[in-house]
Amino acid sequence: MITRSIYIGNPAYLKLKDEQMCILEPSSRELKGKVPVEDLGLLMLDHFQITISHQLIQRMMGNNVVVISCDAHHLPHGIMLPLYGHTEHSDRIKDQLDASEPLKKQLWKQTIECKIENQKEVLLKLGNYYEPMLEYQRNVKSGDITNMEGIAAQHYWKYLISLDFLRQRFGDSPNQFFNFGYAVLRSIVARALVETGLLPVLGIFHKNKYNPYCLADDIMEPYRPFVDFLVMQWLMQNPDSEDLTKEFKAHLLRIATVDVLIDDKTRPLLVAVKTTASSLYKCYTGEKRLISYPEFL
């Protein structure tokens, strides 16, 4: 089922009534809107005067809704997910823990190959210089020991934005647009992993004792170019834009419903991420050898 992504950027009181999230004006308690909880996939809270009832939180956790809280700069600051989202949670964690290093290196190779392929497609769609990406993709080794991901990224960002652009978390514009999109994407991927019964903290490549979402950071890599393409569409339509406006956020939240090609089928990205997470688990058990990753249509 296709779920909805909801952004709330004004003062609001959120409560549960008749299995629906009701959005009320805080002072008058006038009803502004309502959404069935079963239709929710992502809820973004972007105002310090938003109050949410515990009953609604519990119902959303039971429905695997990811709740994103934004900070004073209007950037995603934290996410709330259920502790587990699958009936076979314990067994699946054991399979995840038992995954061998050679298997994880092969899975990472596939991940980087797909990421570079999708980055190449973004450059191609925008009419930019993409040809070297083909060679970088062919030269990816097990575990990406030659760092083709980094080499491809140098070319990609130069020809996506400009020759002197530096992709940084706290860098100059338009970094803030990409950062926002990746934070939303990370939340979507973490939700799918939890729903599949996997621990987001146990990565196949990323290993950082300070990072609770290593696996999400791994699996989201081939999906990043879909965020990049949405950002570039925004920048082409709004060339002087530097602020994370409500209009931009509404544009980026479309990421959940962007159509992608996965396993030779057209699926919304939110559904595709679940397919990827499921295929990863099957790789852990030996049922599959390849992770299912998205392609541009």
Side-chain angles (χ1 to χ4, degrees):
M1 182 183 72
I2 304 301
T3 55
R4 298 175 61 181
S5 299
I6 303 295
Y7 169 83
I8 300 179
N10 297 312
Y13 172 57
L14 310 180
K15 72 172 187 177
L16 180 72
K17 184 177 181 181
D18 298 328
E19 302 301 318
Q20 298 187 86
M21 179 182 74
C22 296
I23 306 169
L24 291 82
E25 201 282 325
S27 56
S28 66
R29 297 301 169 97
E30 178 186 355
L31 182 65
K32 295 295 185 180
K34 54 186 178 180
V35 183
V37 175
E38 66 178 2
D39 290 350
L40 278 173
L42 182 150
L43 174 65
M44 178 172 285
L45 308 176
D46 189 16
H47 200 285
F48 287 161
Q49 294 180 350
I50 295 175
T51 302
I52 183 169
S53 74
H54 188 241
Q55 186 182 26
L56 176 58
I57 292 173
Q58 289 298 306
R59 191 55 53 89
M60 288 193 295
M61 292 302 97
N63 202 58
N64 290 322
V65 179
V66 57
V67 181
I68 304 175
S69 175
C70 294
D71 60 18
H73 302 286
H74 307 287
L75 286 169
H77 184 68
I79 64 175
M80 182 181 294
L81 292 166
L83 284 176
Y84 56 87
H86 197 278
T87 55
E88 299 174 358
H89 183 70
S90 179
D91 284 344
R92 295 195 166 214
I93 297 304
K94 291 176 183 176
D95 291 327
Q96 185 179 4
L97 289 168
D98 289 340
S100 67
E101 285 302 315
L103 171 62
K104 288 190 281 188
K105 288 181 178 180
Q106 282 298 312
L107 295 178
W108 185 241
K109 176 179 184 290
Q110 297 169 28
T111 300
I112 298 307
E113 288 173 336
C114 292
K115 178 182 182 180
I116 295 175
E117 168 65 23
N118 287 337
Q119 287 177 325
K120 181 264 293 181
E121 283 296 313
V122 172
L123 295 177
L124 179 61
K125 286 178 178 292
L126 296 174
N128 297 347
Y129 180 45
Y130 71 90
E131 283 81 359
M133 302 293 282
L134 299 170
E135 182 179 356
Y136 301 147
Q137 184 184 29
R138 286 194 296 266
N139 289 330
V140 178
K141 308 297 183 186
S142 177
D144 192 25
I145 57 174
T146 54
N147 192 29
M148 285 297 111
E149 178 189 19
I151 295 172
Q154 291 181 16
H155 175 92
Y156 178 68
W157 289 108
K158 283 182 180 180
Y159 290 95
L160 183 69
I161 306 296
S162 66
L163 295 179
D164 59 351
F165 176 74
L166 294 177
R167 170 72 193 114
Q168 296 174 328
R169 183 178 179 186
F170 301 107
D172 296 334
S173 185
N175 274 289
Q176 70 274 21
F177 297 114
F178 296 104
N179 294 338
F180 179 87
Y182 294 154
V184 173
L185 176 62
R186 192 188 200 210
S187 303
I188 291 172
V189 173
R191 173 184 183 265
L193 293 172
V194 169
E195 194 170 6
T196 306
L198 299 174
L199 282 179
V201 71
L202 297 177
I204 57 177
F205 175 78
H206 286 91
K207 297 178 177 67
N208 186 329
K209 67 179 181 179
Y210 303 109
N211 182 3
Y213 295 105
C214 290
L215 186 57
D217 290 341
D218 289 333
I219 299 305
M220 69 182 278
E221 294 292 355
Y223 286 91
R224 286 177 182 265
F226 293 93
V227 171
D228 300 341
F229 192 67
L230 276 180
V231 170
M232 294 308 297
Q233 286 181 322
W234 174 263
L235 292 176
M236 287 187 290
Q237 296 166 7
N238 304 272
D240 298 324
S241 176
E242 291 194 2
D243 297 326
L244 297 173
T245 62
K246 293 179 182 179
E247 291 77 16
F248 167 74
K249 291 176 182 178
H251 175 76
L252 243 296
L253 285 177
R254 291 169 45 205
I255 188 65
T257 55
V258 167
D259 281 336
V260 305
L261 184 66
I262 189 165
D263 288 345
D264 297 321
K265 297 178 181 177
T266 301
R267 295 285 185 266
L269 184 138
L270 187 71
V271 175
V273 171
K274 294 180 183 178
T275 301
T276 298
S278 177
S279 70
L280 172 62
Y281 173 69
K282 291 178 181 179
C283 289
Y284 285 152
T285 62
E287 187 177 341
K288 290 192 67 174
R289 295 175 61 88
L290 299 175
I291 305 179
S292 297
Y293 275 132
E295 303 173 48
F296 276 90
L297 290 170

